[in-house]
Amino acid sequence: MSGAGRPAGTDPTALAALVRRPAVRAFDPGREVPEALVARLIEVARWTGSARNRQPWRFVQVRDRAAIRRLSALGAYARFVAGAPAVLAIASADDGFADTEFDVGRVTQSIVLAAAAAGLGCCPATIFPEPNVETARAILGLADGWCPRHILALGYPAPVRPTGAPGALPAVPRGRLPLDELLR
Ligand SMILES: Cc1cc2nc3c(=O)[nH]c(=O)nc-3n(C[C@H](O)[C@H](O)[C@H](O)COP(=O)(O)O)c2cc1C
């Protein structure tokens, strides 16, 4: 039992520190992210549930600097990705199911939480417009039917955070809507 008399592990706020980690767009250039660590994140996240257990997701980890630079040019707000030691492309099945993007968002959040638990920082970037998704698919060597609409920059956070990292969204508000606006 925990201090408050509850069975251990039942306090959902224990997850808050991981969920509240802000997006990280600037990375420590001196710290590599081992390929095996990224594989461990996927090992955790692949157990995420999906509609009818379709698992409509595939992942490509990208290390080649030229490929990372090319990917970072495929979204208007993706420039910061060029400075990430590791990039994980997240592809969704082009299967027409209404649940697919929900499922892919869900597995991505599992990856983000696993990354936070490992001390990594990350930030998704959107690949758009649609022809850029096709270009990304070719760069990543994905088969037809897999759409890489998002890439995740991964790395250990920069020791000193620059204000206004390159490519950061300037007009995006900080913080979150209050609980009473979200839940009734
Ligand atoms: C689906 C999705 C797409 C995103 N695309 C971008 C992007 O293209 N560029 C970017 O800098 N941040 C992107 N972000 C990060 C959001 O801007 C960020 O999560 C949000 O502003 C909250 O930031 P905070 O956690 O630091 O408060 C994306 C986030 C999500 C969930």
Side-chain angles (χ1 to χ4, degrees):
M1 300 286 261
S2 70
R6 296 179 303 268
T10 58
D11 179 1
T13 58
L15 257 184
L18 294 180
V19 172
R20 291 184 67 150
R21 245 7 121 73
V24 171
R25 299 181 180 86
F27 303 97
D28 185 341
R31 285 189 78 182
E32 281 305 314
V33 177
E35 286 186 25
L37 178 53
V38 175
R40 282 172 63 201
L41 305 182
I42 302 302
E43 175 54 42
V44 169
R46 75 188 179 88
W47 289 98
T48 304
S50 58
R52 300 189 73 96
N53 202 15
R54 284 192 189 99
Q55 303 164 67
W57 47 62
R58 295 292 185 273
F59 312 98
V60 182
Q61 64 163 309
V62 189
R63 300 304 179 130
D64 178 70
R65 296 312 315 169
I68 289 175
R69 267 196 306 279
R70 288 177 67 203
L71 290 169
S72 76
L74 297 178
Y77 308 104
R79 216 156 35 94
F80 70 93
V81 174
V87 170
L88 185 71
I90 298 157
S92 51
D94 190 13
D95 55 14
F97 288 115
D99 286 323
T100 291
E101 293 305 331
F102 183 97
D103 290 338
V104 173
R106 210 170 161 228
V107 79
T108 301
Q109 181 66 357
S110 297
I111 296 168
V112 168
L113 291 175
L120 292 166
C122 67
C123 183
T126 308
I127 303 289
F128 75 100
E130 201 58 23
N132 283 356
V133 176
E134 201 46 43
T135 304
R137 205 177 60 74
I139 292 170
L140 296 162
L142 282 159
D144 282 349
W146 291 102
C147 299
R149 294 212 160 80
H150 297 91
I151 50 180
L152 195 63
L154 278 167
Y156 293 94
V160 179
R161 299 275 174 85
T163 50
L169 308 178
V172 173
R174 305 306 311 264
R176 298 295 186 264
L177 297 172
L179 183 62
D180 60 5
E181 199 175 325
L182 300 174
L183 176 69
R184 61 185 182 91

